[in-house]
């Protein structure tokens, strides 16, 4: 079945460092891909998404490119801030987005130190 | 819009008791999802509805769990009887097209 694998955390960085969180997926068909972020004590929020191969999603300085050849959707940010500390989830939608049913990775905790 | 509203935010109960979690989705959204989050298993989809009809409940762990959506603005997730291994954060999410909007979750502790 469909699945998402992301790098285990925690990832600890200093402020202004470069961030990469790896995500790979297994899916039949052409899923849409998402990154969600969860701040402490809150629900998940959509960070960015890409709906087809070679699409780049971007938001708040974060970027991820849908790579079909490597089945990857790695999250990057050039300069992290303390306020970016959160848990990041990679996800794919089954059914080509028609059902909105998302399969999530296990999440990666990011801790940014001043 | 107030977003997805869940209640209670925190629930502590004893093993064997019935637990009911509630969710009010965003108005106009036609999909509603119940997820469970634990350290061991991450985020698990329990069940989802489309236009108040359950579409896929394959993630419901066992018969002790049940979910209903009597109308477009309300859903419940019930656990009867509850067990310590049910302790988790339960999230409700709703969507119309594409993006899921999550509530803040209900943290359940079963002693």
């Amino acid at each position: 079945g469909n699945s998402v694998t992301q790098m285990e955390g925690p990832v600890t960085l200093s402020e202004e460092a470069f961030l990469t969180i790896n995500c790979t997926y297994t899916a039949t068909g052409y899923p849409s891909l998402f990154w969600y972020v969860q701040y402490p004590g809150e629900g998940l929020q959509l960070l960015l998404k890409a709906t087809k191969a070679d699409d780049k999603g971007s938001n708040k300085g974060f970027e991820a490119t849908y790579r079909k050849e490597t089945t990857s959707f790695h999250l990057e940010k050039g300069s992290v801030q303390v306020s970016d500390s959160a848990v990041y989830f990679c996800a794919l939608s089954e059914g080509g987005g028609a059902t909105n049913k998302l399969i999530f990775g296990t999440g990666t905790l990011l801790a940014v130190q001043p | 819009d107030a977003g997805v509203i869940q209640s209670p935010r925190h629930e502590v109960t004893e093993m064997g008791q019935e637990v009911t979690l509630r969710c009010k989705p965003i108005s106009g959204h036609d999909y509603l999802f119940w997820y469970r989050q634990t350290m061991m298993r991450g985020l698990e989809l329990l069940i989802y509805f489309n236009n108040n009809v359950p579409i896929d409940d394959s993630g419901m762990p066992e018969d002790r769990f049940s979910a209903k959506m009597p109308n477009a603005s309300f859903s419940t997730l019930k656990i009867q009887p509850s067990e310590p291994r049910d302790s988790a954060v339960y999230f409700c999410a709703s969507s119309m097209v594409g993006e899921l909007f999550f509530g803040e979750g209900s943290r359940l502790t079963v002693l």
Side-chain angles (χ1 to χ4, degrees), chain A residues 78-102:
Chain A
S79 176
V80 294
Q81 305 300 313
V82 172
S83 57
D84 294 327
S85 298
V87 181
Y88 292 82
F89 292 89
C90 185
L92 66 81
S93 70
E94 298 189 327
T99 65
N100 299 309
K101 176 181 175 181
L102 294 188

Side-chain angles (χ1 to χ4, degrees), chain A residues 27-102:
Chain A
T28 54
Y30 303 95
S32 294
L33 301 174
F34 305 80
W35 278 101
Y36 277 77
V37 58
Q38 184 180 28
Y39 298 103
E42 299 183 10
L44 281 71
Q45 305 170 26
L46 178 65
L47 181 60
L48 54 84
K49 68 179 181 182
T51 58
K52 61 183 187 297
D54 299 325
D55 265 4
K56 177 185 284 187
S58 61
N59 185 25
K60 300 180 181 179
F62 291 88
E63 294 182 340
T65 300
Y66 190 144
R67 300 285 189 201
K68 196 171 190 310
E69 63 276 12
T70 54
T71 62
S72 65
F73 193 55
H74 304 322
L75 182 68
E76 297 181 336
K77 186 175 186 182
S79 176
V80 294
Q81 305 300 313
V82 172
S83 57
D84 294 327
S85 298
V87 181
Y88 292 82
F89 292 89
C90 185
L92 66 81
S93 70
E94 298 189 327
T99 65
N100 299 309
K101 176 181 175 181
L102 294 188

Side-chain angles (χ1 to χ4, degrees), chain A residues 34 36 38 41-46 49 87 89 97-106, chain B residues 9 31 33 35 37 42-43 45 48 56 58 91 95-104:
Chain A
F34 305 80
Y36 277 77
Q38 184 180 28
E42 299 183 10
L44 281 71
Q45 305 170 26
L46 178 65
K49 68 179 181 182
V87 181
F89 292 89
T99 65
N100 299 309
K101 176 181 175 181
L102 294 188
I103 303 299
F104 286 90
T106 52
Chain B
R9 291 293 313 277
Y31 283 90
F33 302 79
Y35 282 88
Q37 185 178 37
L43 267 171
L45 176 64
Y48 76 96
D56 184 353
S58 59
F91 287 102
S95 72
M96 190 163 59
V97 177
E99 179 180 353
L100 260 65
F101 291 82
F102 282 78
E104 294 185 324

